[in-house]
Amino acid sequence: VPYEITVYTTDKRGASTGADVYVVIYGEEIQTEQISLEPDKKRRKQYFKNGAVDKFVLELDDVGQEITKLRIGHDGKGWGAGWHLDKVEICRLLDDGKASKKFTFSCGRWLASDEDDGAIVRELVPSEIVEKSSKNGGEVKTKVTKPTDGLKVKPYTINVFTGDMDGAGTNANVFLTIFGESGDSGERKLAKSDTHYDKFERNQEDIFHIEAADLGKLFKIKIRHDNSLFSPAWFLNRVEITDDELEDTAVFPCERWLAKKKGDGKIDRTLFIKGWEGDTSSVATTRSKASLRSNSIDTSDTPSLSGRRASSRKAPVMAAIDEKAVPYNIKVTVGDESSKNFQETLHLELFGQIEDEKSGPIELSPESKNDKTFYPGKITTFYVSGAEVNIIEKIQVSHNSYMPDSGIYLKEIEVDAPTIGNKYTFPCNRWLAKDKDDSKTSRIFTSANAQVTSYAALKPYQFTIHTGDIQNAGTDSKISVILFGSKGKTPEIPLEKNEDRFERAKVDIIPLELDDVGVIKKVRIGHDGKGSRADWYLEKLSIQRMDTLDMYMFRSNQWFSKKIDDKKLVREIPAETSKEGAVTIKSKSNLMLTLCAFILVGGNPLNVYFILYQSSIRHPFDPELNMIFHSLILIETNYVLSTHTSDKRGSGTDANVSIIIFGEHGDSGEIALKKSETNWNKFEKGQTDVFLINDRLSLGRLQKLRIWHDNAGFGASWHLASVDIVDENTGVKYTFPCDKWLSKSNGDKLILRELPCAETAGNAATASKVKQGGKSGKIEYEIAFTTAGEKRAGTTQDVAIVLKGKNDKSREFLIENSEDKNYFSKGKTNKFTFTCKSLGDISKVIVSHRESAIGEEPDSKNSSWRLKEVTVVDTESGTTYKFPCSKWLVLDDEDDDSSVILKCKSADVAEPAKTKPVELKPVKYEVTVVTGDEKGAGTDANVFVILYGEHGDTGPRPLKKKFVNLFERKQHDKFTIEALDLGKLTKLHIEHDNKGWGASWLLDRVEIRNIDSNDTVVFPCKQWLDKKKGDGQIAKDLLPES
């Protein structure tokens, strides 16, 4: 919209300026870009002279009818740049030109580096508002107001602390932007220090003053330097900013270099207030080979529900994910014949089989202008969210560009719904262009022509990571984590740095979608020890499963460092969980009252306490609430491991041997067998070597052992008879027979073995007892509610359920609903997972329809809910219980029809074989890798593979052969892997290390054949593993061919 801007220069001596004057106009919600009043340097000379009144008409973004503040400044360049500004008037038309509104911004200050306070930018608030409107008779009505309740200009004091290390000071120019709840200050040059003429020197505190319209509560700053002059590198310790009127100080820790040749090479930083627990990055989603999504939102600039491009060389990124929606991963493949000029946003919508089931509009936008998001041949992944569409029937994709030669040729669109477990590949091969094909810019593609792949749905988790408030606690190293639970473990999950995470006193919130691991027992967390800051102090980690609201705490309070304390980079931390039986009661005031009771050890009296907190709290592990987390799932133990080398000729080895122990509570991680307690020269013929593995979290009942060596040294071949492991806490001894070569030249030429456990006679009963005593006593129940398909059968109100079993009854499980969450809508089935103590066979359920405390008020349209059926699955036994209903549950009904007791009509009991422990045996798998048939398809990089099945995974296995040129164009390469029987194969992970000349690789497929059963599973790929081609990834998770 057009704005008329009138600038009044005073008639003071030297008041004129030849500098480039710019403005930023702020409305109540949005602001314009910074724009020069006269960008032409020659024409600028006629403006801003002594006593001049200059008018400019600019087309700018519409900030709304109210202008709340004006930022005006200049670039300080040219002779006589100093400027004395009297006032600025901004006028805009309203109601199609029938009215106008003029805002006056008084200044009366210098904008000069050598006058007044040295500032060359000012923030001004309206001092007068004049509204004019025309009546039908031509009469003009004028209204003049003096704003009293708008923003006020306030003084802020800035204390900058340079670090105390060699070369910490800088001579460069430093610039600062402050962000608060009410806006930002704009970038300000820190020019004049109150304390030092030579500012920003080593171990020095420099004090600056600025004025800005009230920013509200401060939470973030951006600070940078221009890398100018001699010795620009700068080590910034921290920045403190004080609101002089409120005497409130905000601390922003840094403890990092701003330097091109030190640290991570960056000369700009975004710093958050110490203790900040909000989201910290505009990068919202990262999905890795672990199938994860990490969500962080920059609260100063939260975008709408739209996707941003996934960079081909970095982790994928997107806009903020709506927590009430479900995630979708959209991969767009652009045809080679597409236009290079397409820079528009693609609009996508997903439609389901049920009427009105659709995702809502999803925007797939370039990250910035002139980038190559939709460049010909480009593959881009967007991580977005939208309303849940259970089964996708069709998709609609469109754009709004009508310019010639600006269309897009879509080759393919892939829609992956990770929390539903379906992936759709839609072949497109059509133009969306006004001057191509049939001139359409909108098309519909149906799932009838799509390839649909189903897989185990992922579960939503939220990680909250607390970095300690200790000097140098932050790190630049790559952090990763593995979850271990009652149903297995996740792959290693990289937690992206995203620049601002894992800094001193920071709380980072990272939502992820991961494999269902059941009840979490421990985590293994650590970093790679690389980067300019390779030390990290972790205070604690909390994990919440968002669909069940189960919460786990992992306390650390330790360094992860090669130099500090015990010099460990990786640690295992046991889970603490809330005690079973805590009762949660929802009140109408949207509060949660938690009543917990426990008896202290030693016969002390019963302690009862109440905790009152908001139900919308983002961090359930607030220090005031920590006392409810007191039940450690795992304890530490020591293991004594004995290797028995055979008495065969040449059976000893000089190679380095490593192991991983697997038990019911996960695995030990890789352990190098370095120091034998019995022999100086270990692993010799006929020898028993004893190794102590101390202070490890208990693995429970041991199941298998993975053992290998690195084939190094003279005489690497090793014939292993067996391995014994004793758990010192329980006294149970586990034996792992082998009687095979681990050798590249003998036997089957494998140097890695997986050995099943054969318990020593007499210990089975003890092991069984240990197993029973080590359980957490909790079971997961999967509960599905099916809403009837009649008109108005759905509800936006809450639903509660209680399970009654043979042994006991559960606490009440409450599902909070709203229009946004859209649970219990007509014809839909909603599944939830709840954890409680074992109830035995489920005989009854009590279902209640409740008024929502957070949703809309009930009325005639949403006060009734027709429930068709409830299904309950005991995930431990596999038994499914069905409870038919087909009744209306009416809120506030006099006959109390808002609740119903349902009896079990059928129970599908799982086959006994499925509930018994699987007896694992070694199986050989033939791995056939087929390279694609295109120019440059082959690779010289080193390739690794992991096979996943219903009984576990193989761990990373290198695919190597001596004197063979592997993975060349159109080549079939075969390898043999031995592992304990994986059962049905579910996934294959393959990657290369990007090393060697010509690392780029086009992988067609991988075929896995079980040599014992001769069953073959094909994992199609047909994608590049290349940082410069395709989607830019060198690791892929492949699903079996359906």
Side-chain angles (χ1 to χ4, degrees):
V1 297
Y3 290 87
E4 182 185 78
I5 303 173
T6 307
V7 179
Y8 295 78
T9 302
T10 69
D11 58 0
K12 279 181 176 286
R13 182 179 179 183
S16 63
T17 183
D20 184 9
V21 177
Y22 62 84
V23 295
V24 181
I25 302 172
Y26 284 77
E28 292 179 331
E29 299 292 337
I30 62 174
Q31 67 195 61
T32 68
E33 294 182 351
Q34 180 175 303
I35 188 167
S36 296
L37 293 179
E38 179 48 71
D40 187 274
K41 190 173 182 179
K42 290 183 179 179
R43 294 180 59 187
R44 196 184 301 153
K45 293 180 180 179
Q46 60 185 297
Y47 297 113
F48 313 121
K49 294 182 178 180
N50 279 51
V53 178
D54 300 302
K55 288 192 176 184
F56 306 88
V57 177
L58 303 177
E59 292 279 344
L60 301 173
D61 291 333
D62 186 359
V63 300
Q65 293 193 12
E66 299 299 326
I67 299 176
T68 58
K69 76 173 179 179
L70 170 71
R71 182 179 301 134
I72 187 166
H74 61 74
D75 62 0
K77 295 180 180 179
W79 186 82
W83 180 37
H84 199 272
L85 173 65
D86 181 27
K87 64 180 179 180
V88 179
E89 294 174 350
I90 301 178
C91 183
R92 61 164 297 175
L93 298 178
L94 304 174
D95 298 331
D96 297 325
K98 296 179 181 179
S100 67
K101 202 168 190 177
K102 183 174 71 176
F103 298 82
T104 299
F105 299 86
S106 299
C107 181
R109 300 278 300 272
W110 283 98
L111 284 76
S113 59
D114 57 351
E115 298 282 356
D116 203 339
D117 58 1
I120 60 173
V121 59
R122 300 282 178 198
E123 288 201 343
L124 310 176
V125 296
S127 56
E128 182 181 84
I129 301 174
V130 178
E131 296 181 71
K132 293 184 179 182
S133 58
S134 300
K135 294 187 176 181
N136 293 333
E139 181 184 352
V140 176
K141 182 180 179 181
T142 303
K143 178 183 177 183
V144 180
T145 58
K146 303 282 186 181
T148 58
D149 56 352
L151 293 175
K152 306 294 183 185
V153 175
K154 300 177 68 173
Y156 293 89
T157 299
I158 302 162
N159 298 62
V160 180
F161 297 82
T162 300
D164 184 15
M165 60 175 59
D166 189 35
T170 184
N171 296 313
N173 297 303
V174 175
F175 302 85
L176 175 73
T177 307
I178 308 170
F179 295 84
E181 293 176 343
S182 302
D184 66 87
S185 66
E187 186 172 81
R188 307 293 183 94
K189 182 179 179 180
L190 301 183
K192 290 184 178 181
S193 170
D194 284 0
T195 49
H196 300 92
Y197 173 78
D198 191 10
K199 54 189 180 294
F200 310 126
E201 291 303 313
R202 175 176 177 175
N203 201 28
Q204 187 168 290
E205 177 185 1
D206 292 285
I207 300 176
F208 306 87
H209 301 276
I210 69 166
E211 290 181 351
D214 189 359
L215 299 171
K217 189 173 179 62
L218 307 184
F219 68 92
K220 181 177 79 170
I221 64 171
K222 290 184 179 179
I223 191 165
R224 69 174 183 92
H225 66 72
D226 59 4
N227 205 44
S228 63
L229 303 177
F230 177 73
S231 186
W234 184 33
F235 189 90
L236 173 62
N237 183 280
R238 69 185 186 277
V239 177
E240 297 179 359
I241 301 177
T242 302
D243 181 328
D244 293 344
E245 290 186 2
L246 300 178
E247 297 183 350
D248 184 26
T249 299
V251 179
F252 301 87
C254 181
E255 297 179 349
R256 304 180 75 178
W257 284 100
L258 282 75
K260 287 281 190 180
K261 297 182 180 180
K262 293 184 179 182
D264 58 5
K266 293 183 177 181
I267 59 173
D268 59 277
R269 299 284 177 201
T270 299
L271 308 178
F272 285 81
I273 190 171
K274 182 177 179 180
W276 173 251
E277 296 189 1
D279 300 317
T280 60
S281 174
S282 59
V283 175
T285 295
T286 303
R287 186 175 175 97
S288 77
K289 57 191 178 184
S291 298
L292 65 91
R293 177 183 306 267
S294 73
N295 180 20
S296 299
I297 306 161
D298 188 334
T299 53
S300 70
D301 186 22
T302 302
S304 62
L305 184 64
S306 61
R308 295 176 59 193
R309 75 176 180 88
S311 168
S312 63
R313 303 198 183 193
K314 297 181 181 179
V317 299
M318 64 154 263
I321 292 178
D322 183 349
E323 292 179 354
K324 297 170 184 176
V326 298
Y328 295 101
N329 308 326
I330 313 296
K331 183 183 289 186
V332 178
T333 302
V334 181
D336 293 333
E337 55 269 66
S338 192
S339 170
K340 295 182 179 180
N341 299 324
F342 186 79
Q343 298 288 332
E344 302 298 317
T345 295
L346 284 179
H347 303 276
L348 177 71
E349 189 157 16
L350 316 177
F351 297 88
Q353 293 180 329
I354 302 173
E355 185 182 358
D356 296 331
E357 186 183 33
K358 53 187 178 181
S359 65
I362 296 172
E363 293 183 358
L364 310 178
S365 303
E367 197 170 60
S368 61
K369 292 182 178 180
N370 302 319
D371 74 1
K372 296 182 178 181
T373 299
F374 297 121
Y375 208 68
K378 186 81 172 181
I379 300 176
T380 307
T381 303
F382 299 85
Y383 294 95
V384 299
S385 66
E388 180 180 353
V389 179
N390 194 41
I391 299 177
I392 297 176
E393 184 75 12
K394 63 183 179 180
I395 65 172
Q396 182 175 17
V397 60
S398 63
H399 66 77
N400 297 326
S401 176
Y402 298 98
M403 301 298 292
D405 195 30
S406 63
I408 183 172
Y409 186 87
L410 289 178
K411 183 177 180 180
E412 184 179 275
I413 294 180
E414 180 183 285
V415 179
D416 185 8
T419 56
I420 299 172
N422 290 327
K423 182 169 71 174
Y424 303 80
T425 303
F426 294 88
C428 302
N429 298 310
R430 295 295 298 270
W431 280 97
L432 275 71
K434 273 295 180 182
D435 57 346
K436 302 283 187 182
D437 205 341
D438 56 5
S439 301
K440 290 184 178 180
T441 58
S442 176
R443 296 198 184 276
I444 291 176
F445 303 99
T446 66
S447 59
N449 300 316
Q451 178 185 344
V452 183
T453 304
S454 297
Y455 56 92
L458 305 181
K459 302 299 181 182
Y461 294 85
Q462 180 169 279
F463 286 41
T464 305
I465 299 173
H466 300 249
T467 299
D469 186 11
I470 295 177
Q471 187 173 1
N472 300 320
T475 186
D476 295 322
S477 297
K478 294 180 180 178
I479 295 173
S480 61
V481 64
I482 301 174
L483 273 59
F484 295 85
S486 59
K487 293 183 179 179
K489 69 172 186 175
T490 66
E492 184 174 340
I493 307 160
L495 302 178
E496 299 296 336
K497 170 68 176 174
N498 289 351
E499 183 183 352
D500 303 308
R501 289 180 179 158
F502 318 126
E503 293 300 324
R504 176 177 175 176
K506 278 290 303 300
V507 180
D508 296 298
I509 306 167
I510 308 177
L512 307 170
E513 282 81 46
L514 303 172
D515 295 324
D516 182 7
V517 298
V519 177
I520 301 176
K521 299 181 179 181
K522 69 176 180 180
V523 297
R524 182 178 300 139
I525 187 168
H527 63 77
D528 62 0
K530 297 179 181 179
S532 59
R533 298 181 302 156
D535 307 320
W536 182 42
Y537 190 90
L538 173 64
E539 181 184 326
K540 61 185 175 182
L541 161 68
S542 62
I543 299 176
Q544 183 170 20
R545 179 148 156 189
M546 303 307 292
D547 57 342
T548 66
L549 300 183
D550 288 341
M551 298 174 286
Y552 305 87
M553 169 72 78
F554 304 87
R555 302 177 198 273
S556 173
N557 293 310
Q558 287 181 294
W559 285 98
F560 291 67
S561 170
K562 289 181 178 179
K563 302 175 182 178
I564 306 173
D565 290 347
D566 57 4
K567 301 178 177 59
K568 288 184 178 180
L569 292 178
V570 179
R571 298 186 186 278
E572 288 191 349
I573 309 174
E576 301 175 38
T577 184
S578 56
K579 190 126 180 176
E580 180 65 24
V583 180
T584 302
I585 306 166
K586 190 182 77 174
S587 71
K588 304 296 286 185
S589 61
N590 194 24
L591 297 177
M592 303 292 283
L593 180 63
T594 299
L595 171 61
C596 303
F598 64 95
I599 301 177
L600 295 180
V601 177
N604 287 339
L606 181 71
N607 288 270
V608 180
Y609 57 90
F610 294 85
I611 305 170
L612 191 64
Y613 63 97
Q614 292 286 348
S615 64
S616 60
I617 191 167
R618 294 294 302 274
H619 305 290
F621 306 112
D622 190 89
E624 287 77 12
L625 302 180
N626 278 348
M627 55 181 163
I628 70 172
F629 297 95
H630 51 75
S631 175
L632 289 174
I633 290 180
L634 300 181
I635 60 173
E636 286 190 346
T637 188
N638 298 326
Y639 292 101
V640 179
L641 181 144
S642 303
T643 60
H644 304 282
T645 301
S646 302
D647 199 18
K648 291 179 178 285
R649 182 180 177 182
S651 60
T653 184
D654 297 320
N656 300 300
V657 177
S658 299
I659 63 160
I660 299 176
I661 308 169
F662 295 83
E664 62 180 339
H665 299 326
D667 67 66
S668 64
E670 183 176 327
I671 301 171
L673 301 183
K674 293 182 177 180
K675 182 183 177 183
S676 171
E677 300 295 320
T678 50
N679 299 285
W680 177 79
N681 191 15
K682 54 188 182 294
F683 311 127
E684 292 303 311
K685 174 184 174 182
Q687 192 168 286
T688 296
D689 292 285
V690 177
F691 301 87
L692 303 181
I693 304 171
N694 295 328
D695 303 323
R696 297 277 173 165
L697 291 181
S698 172
L699 298 170
R701 190 175 187 177
L702 303 190
Q703 298 167 337
K704 72 175 181 178
L705 177 73
R706 185 177 296 156
I707 187 165
W708 71 95
H709 64 71
D710 61 0
N711 203 41
F714 178 77
S717 295
W718 185 32
H719 195 278
L720 174 64
S722 65
V723 178
D724 293 330
I725 301 178
V726 176
D727 183 334
E728 288 195 337
N729 269 7
T730 64
V732 177
K733 178 181 178 181
Y734 303 90
T735 298
F736 302 87
C738 180
D739 198 27
K740 289 183 180 179
W741 285 99
L742 282 75
S743 170
K744 286 285 189 180
S745 55
N746 296 323
D748 56 9
K749 299 178 176 55
L750 298 178
I751 60 172
L752 183 150
R753 301 287 178 189
E754 286 197 348
L755 310 178
C757 177
E759 290 177 5
T760 303
N763 285 332
T766 307
S768 177
K769 186 176 180 181
V770 171
K771 177 179 174 65
Q772 294 171 6
K775 283 188 175 181
S776 66
K778 291 186 178 182
I779 288 179
E780 280 193 351
Y781 292 94
E782 293 179 356
I783 304 176
F785 299 87
T786 301
T787 300
E790 286 96 323
K791 187 177 180 180
R792 293 185 179 176
T795 182
T796 58
Q797 303 302 306
D798 295 349
V799 170
I801 188 170
V802 175
L803 310 182
K804 287 193 173 183
K806 181 180 179 181
N807 301 334
D808 207 340
K809 73 174 182 178
S810 73
R811 65 185 185 274
E812 182 179 85
F813 300 119
L814 178 68
I815 300 114
E816 290 186 334
N817 195 18
S818 66
E819 272 192 322
D820 293 330
K821 291 181 178 179
N822 199 29
Y823 299 148
F824 317 120
S825 58
K826 182 181 75 173
K828 289 189 68 174
T829 297
N830 299 101
K831 294 182 179 180
F832 305 91
T833 305
F834 298 108
T835 303
C836 70
K837 55 194 171 186
S838 177
L839 304 174
D841 290 333
I842 309 297
S843 57
K844 295 179 183 178
V845 297
I846 303 173
V847 182
S848 302
H849 189 203
R850 303 276 183 80
E851 181 179 343
S852 174
I854 62 174
E856 61 177 4
E857 290 291 328
D859 54 27
S860 59
K861 294 182 180 180
N862 64 10
S863 61
S864 299
W865 175 44
R866 186 164 177 81
L867 175 63
K868 182 178 180 181
E869 184 182 61
V870 176
T871 302
V872 179
V873 179
D874 181 330
T875 60
E876 185 167 282
S877 68
T879 304
T880 300
Y881 305 90
K882 294 184 178 180
F883 302 85
C885 180
S886 297
K887 292 183 179 180
W888 288 96
L889 279 69
V890 184
L891 287 177
D892 300 325
D893 190 80
E894 294 180 359
D895 297 327
D896 196 24
D897 285 341
S898 62
S899 297
V900 64
I901 299 175
L902 306 178
K903 294 182 179 180
C904 180
K905 293 299 182 183
S906 66
D908 297 330
V909 182
E911 296 179 12
K914 293 183 180 180
T915 60
K916 289 182 178 179
V918 179
E919 294 183 4
L920 302 179
K921 63 176 182 177
V923 170
K924 283 188 170 66
Y925 295 93
E926 181 184 73
V927 181
T928 303
V929 180
V930 182
T931 299
D933 185 17
E934 288 188 24
K935 184 179 179 181
T939 184
D940 296 319
N942 299 303
V943 177
F944 303 83
V945 68
I946 305 174
L947 304 183
Y948 292 87
E950 57 187 348
H951 300 153
D953 64 78
T954 61
R957 302 292 182 95
L959 301 182
K960 293 182 178 181
K961 281 186 178 179
K962 284 186 176 181
F963 313 116
V964 177
N965 194 12
L966 300 171
F967 313 121
E968 293 303 311
R969 177 178 177 177
K970 207 178 178 180
Q971 190 165 291
H972 291 58
D973 296 293
K974 295 188 177 183
F975 309 87
T976 300
I977 288 177
E978 184 184 77
L980 294 187
D981 190 359
L982 296 170
K984 182 181 178 181
L985 299 182
T986 57
K987 184 174 71 172
L988 181 144
H989 176 83
I990 191 164
E991 65 178 289
H992 66 72
D993 60 4
N994 206 42
K995 293 182 179 179
W997 188 83
S1000 175
W1001 186 30
L1002 177 61
L1003 174 62
D1004 184 78
R1005 66 186 184 273
V1006 181
E1007 299 173 359
I1008 308 295
R1009 182 172 70 90
N1010 184 320
I1011 295 177
D1012 289 358
S1013 66
N1014 207 35
D1015 292 335
T1016 299
V1017 180
V1018 179
F1019 294 87
C1021 182
K1022 301 184 184 302
Q1023 297 181 70
W1024 286 96
L1025 280 75
D1026 184 6
K1027 291 196 172 183
K1028 297 181 180 179
K1029 291 181 181 178
D1031 59 5
Q1033 305 299 312
I1034 59 173
K1036 301 287 183 186
D1037 279 340
L1038 307 181
L1039 298 174
E1041 187 175 61
S1042 55

